[in-house]
Amino acid sequence: MPVESDAELRDVLGQETIAVVGCSATPGKDAHEIPEYLREHGYEVVPVNPYADEIFGREPYDSLTEVEEEIDVVDVFRPSEEVSGIVDQVLERDDVDIVWLQLGIRDDEAGERVEESGRRFVQDHCMKVEHGRLMD
């Protein structure tokens, strides 16, 4: 079952390093503003976007497989139909504990695969909204 309870969400939000797949270099877009909010609240944000040259003053990675840092959470800002492939990349890593799909993004089958691997899965929730509601 995907993470739903406030206690579980608080625990997930207690992590430190978040790789943001689909992180945008464009201010005003949710995929830029939400990771910026997370950075402002002390999270280490690792941008993943093969089409951007720089996000938050650093070069983004092209894919999760290239990320060198240890990742706690993968936050997904990509269409639902891309989630399965992103989960494939997550499952190749040993460090990722949680996959979080932003508001409006769902993939039950991919979520089952995440959970079967012993990791936690959040879908169709905004990380900024939940952080503001539960952590501030």
Side-chain angles (χ1 to χ4, degrees), residues 19-70:
V20 181
V21 178
C23 193
S24 176
T26 307
K29 286 190 167 186
D30 287 346
H32 179 87
E33 298 302 321
I34 294 168
E36 178 68 16
Y37 169 91
L38 295 171
R39 290 179 71 234
E40 291 169 357
H41 285 81
Y43 293 95
E44 173 71 24
V45 172
V46 179
V48 179
N49 182 332
Y51 305 108
D53 295 325
E54 182 181 307
I55 302 174
F56 307 132
R58 63 183 289 180
E59 184 178 344
Y61 291 97
D62 288 343
S63 70
L64 279 175
T65 57
E66 295 180 8
V67 175
E68 297 170 0
E69 293 97 324
E70 292 278 320

Side-chain angles (χ1 to χ4, degrees), residues 58-116:
R58 63 183 289 180
E59 184 178 344
Y61 291 97
D62 288 343
S63 70
L64 279 175
T65 57
E66 295 180 8
V67 175
E68 297 170 0
E69 293 97 324
E70 292 278 320
I71 302 169
D72 300 313
V73 181
V74 171
D75 185 19
V76 179
F77 278 93
R78 298 299 304 149
S80 296
E81 56 269 15
E82 294 183 24
V83 170
S84 183
I86 294 165
V87 165
D88 290 342
Q89 292 179 37
V90 167
L91 297 178
E92 292 176 12
R93 300 183 65 103
D94 294 329
D95 54 342
V96 179
D97 294 323
I98 301 135
V99 175
W100 184 301
L101 307 184
Q102 282 295 136
L103 195 63
I105 306 170
R106 297 186 63 86
D107 186 328
D108 293 333
E109 185 275 330
E112 289 173 11
R113 292 192 298 132
V114 169
E115 291 170 338
E116 286 169 3

